[in-house]
Amino acid sequence: TSENGIGMFLEKNPDARKQIFLVTKSDRRDPAGMTELLTRSLERLKTDYVDLYFLHGIKASRELNDDVKRWAEKAKSEKKIKFFGFSTHDNMEECLEGAAKLDWIDGVMVKYNYRIMNADRMKAALDAAAKAGIGLTAMKTQGVISGPGKILPSALTDTEADRKLTGQFVQRGFTDGQARLKVVWENPQI
């Protein structure tokens, strides 16, 4: 429903489109399916292009195959998208490392939070993607693990690293959620 809501706004305020960086995504991997979903998104959003189009939830860089590359290049040449990338929740380091080797990935949205921000491989993968000129967007910054039937309780009981990062704030009276926000706030490199 968010695409419909944004579309209603843009229909009433067409000049606002120039000031909005609009992102949407496809969970289809085949070119026909991606075209179908992009067309549907453009109709819902009441616009003729999106700024960034994500292939949603990839699990391995091999999903970024030649068919997807050709599709992205075609959508760009038709001016239906400006940038192309993907989101990932799993196997993020491999996905980022793979994207850094490609010259056609413009943006990546990754799960990035206090639980994983200090992992050496994650830091190296993010650095490789940034050096390749890939724009990075963080999601799930509070460290909540979600998925079918999975929600992490808010108690800080996962690891010693969790307690070390957030414990100092909990001891000062912050709630678990506030402590996580504080860790992210005080570590702008995230």
Side-chain angles (χ1 to χ4, degrees), residues 41 51 84 100 139 168 183 189:
S41 290
D51 296 286
F84 180 81
M139 67 173 156
Q168 61 183 317
V183 167
Q189 73 275 12

Side-chain angles (χ1 to χ4, degrees), residues 109-155:
M109 183 186 306
V110 294
K111 179 174 61 175
Y112 192 67
N113 55 63
Y114 75 100
R115 286 193 172 95
I116 59 177
M117 68 186 185
N118 291 314
D120 290 338
R121 186 172 178 204
M122 179 57 117
K123 289 192 284 190
L126 288 166
D127 188 51
K131 284 180 179 172
I134 297 171
L136 300 168
T137 304
M139 67 173 156
K140 303 190 187 297
T141 58
Q142 295 305 295
V144 174
I145 300 169
S146 63
K150 295 191 289 185
I151 298 291
L152 186 72
S154 63

Side-chain angles (χ1 to χ4, degrees), residues 152-173:
L152 186 72
S154 63
L156 297 170
T157 58
D158 292 325
T159 65
E160 181 63 31
D162 286 354
R163 289 186 293 278
K164 183 178 178 184
L165 286 168
T166 59
Q168 61 183 317
F169 301 114
V170 171
Q171 289 174 355
R172 290 175 30 206

Side-chain angles (χ1 to χ4, degrees), residues 33-42 50 53 71 75 80-81:
M34 292 168 66
T35 298
E36 177 185 335
L37 293 184
L38 176 58
T39 300
R40 183 182 74 186
S41 290
L42 293 174
V50 294
Y53 197 68
W71 182 90
K80 292 183 179 181
I81 66 173

